[in-house]
Amino acid sequence: GPGSPRAASGAVAAQLRRRLESELEDIRGAGTWKSERVIASRQGPHLRLAGGGAGILNFCANNYLGLSSHPEVIRAAVEALEKFGAGLSSVRFICGTQSIHKDLEEKVARFHQREDAILYASCFDANAGIFEALLTPEDAVLSDELNHASIIDGIRLCKANKYRYKHMDMQDLEAKLQDAQKHRLRLVATDGAFSMDGDIAPLREICQLAQKYDALVFIDECHATGFLGPNGRGTDELLGVMDKVTIINSTLGKALGGAAGGYTTGPKPLIDLLRQRSRPYLFSNSLPPAVVGCASKALDLLMESNAIAQSMAAKTQRFRSKMTAAGFTISGKDHPICPVMLGDARLAAVMAEDMLNRGIYVIGFSYPVVPKGKARIRVQISAVHSDEDIDRCVEAFTEVGRKHGALP
């Protein structure tokens, strides 16, 4: 009857549906709806989209070094799959650690010149797992206001005293460090390279302040590992502070093979503690062998030669200089993340769609991914883009920009 639990449950479900549909309509109305384009080919500089779009130039992947479709990386994944199976059906400490996991952890630590490393299903998990395990109510964490969402969420999970300093503002960081002196341990947490703006943290200055106020430094290197620095070791190598950064979290899912997985690398006692207390590590399945094989081969290629990492600089400069000359504002500096700043969310979405009509795959970013009024199309350069690819992208942007009033 009408008063039965089933009827009540149906009414509540209908109420929920109406509320969700209203929220979704608000997102569409604001011009911030995020559509997912379906790729029917491998990741790479040239794509085929489901539905027949072929020969599409891809300028929005984190495939910085082009290794996600590198033949040796794919071969290593197949070999690991055949030898070690599809997966472990278990977490690491129960029945899920294979020799390849230990080998990759050793390789990651060697690459970053740290004592030890621990693997996670993603860097989001690594960031979710470290602050809660390391920091107590006696401690303090100081976080850049534009840090990645995973750092923000990880910090929320811990019971430390929380300070947020203005983006890359060293005066504000120093003031917060002074205020945090009353706490036992102070940890400064920052992205090495910020994914939405393509800017690089002032690590030299951060490390100087950390030394002055007896703090530790943590960096998230997801958008730096593999291609920043002379040997691709990241922001700390680029800025000459490898010996002053205590903890690095990064990903295997971008430049290092592009599949999945993340890690923490740093002092061995910290890594040992994470194996005992880090919840995303303790309660998540082991990385699949094929993913481990991909990442391991990617690191081999990087440690054998820095040629791939070094190929990024000239291509990044080519795109940035040509776009600036055309009249666009490009955020950040000397990073393959090249945000084309447009301001208006609807303009970013319409221009991105028009770029696809011209065979260029880019995505508009708007609130809540970036602040309101800071909508942009984020272009990402890869080592496997040719000069012709880059020039074609600039030409399409210029045409579309003029059409929609973003350029005079």
Side-chain angles (χ1 to χ4, degrees), residues 35 58 86 90 125 146 171 177 204 285 338 341 347 378:
S35 300
N58 182 13
S90 185
D125 279 348
L146 293 188
Q171 276 189 306
L177 280 166
R204 289 194 193 100
N285 261 23
C338 304
M341 303 304 292
L347 175 63
R378 187 180 72 174

Side-chain angles (χ1 to χ4, degrees), residues 316-326:
T316 297
Q317 180 57 32
R318 185 183 188 92
F319 179 81
R320 283 180 170 272
S321 61
K322 289 197 168 214
M323 286 290 284
T324 302

Side-chain angles (χ1 to χ4, degrees), residues 105-234:
E105 286 168 338
E106 185 276 329
K107 200 173 288 187
V108 165
R110 182 154 40 93
F111 179 72
H112 285 285
Q113 298 179 4
R114 297 307 196 275
E115 291 179 13
D116 202 357
I118 179 173
L119 296 175
Y120 287 88
S122 68
C123 190
F124 204 113
D125 279 348
N127 286 341
I130 188 163
F131 300 103
E132 184 184 26
L134 178 62
L135 303 175
T136 75
E138 296 180 66
D139 305 317
V141 56
L142 303 94
S143 175
D144 187 294
E145 66 180 348
L146 293 188
N147 276 340
H148 191 266
S150 59
I151 299 176
I152 294 168
D153 285 1
I155 289 173
R156 282 175 179 159
L157 290 170
C158 80
K159 294 182 171 63
N161 299 274
K162 300 167 181 70
Y163 296 79
R164 186 173 65 175
Y165 63 91
K166 294 173 186 173
H167 181 49
M168 302 202 309
D169 186 328
M170 295 300 97
Q171 276 189 306
D172 195 37
L173 175 57
E174 182 163 21
K176 299 291 195 300
L177 280 166
Q178 289 169 347
D179 191 35
Q181 287 300 291
K182 55 184 175 283
H183 304 298
R184 180 187 65 171
L185 183 150
R186 291 156 295 285
L187 179 69
V188 180
T190 181
D191 279 336
F194 290 84
S195 62
M196 286 300 119
D197 291 282
D199 47 7
I200 296 169
L203 273 187
R204 289 194 193 100
E205 293 82 357
I206 289 172
C207 289
Q208 286 167 3
L209 287 173
Q211 192 167 7
K212 182 177 179 180
Y213 293 100
D214 294 322
L216 302 175
V217 177
F218 161 98
I219 55 174
D220 177 312
E221 288 285 81
C222 287
H223 292 277
T225 299
F227 56 93
L228 286 190
N231 300 290
R233 288 188 167 87

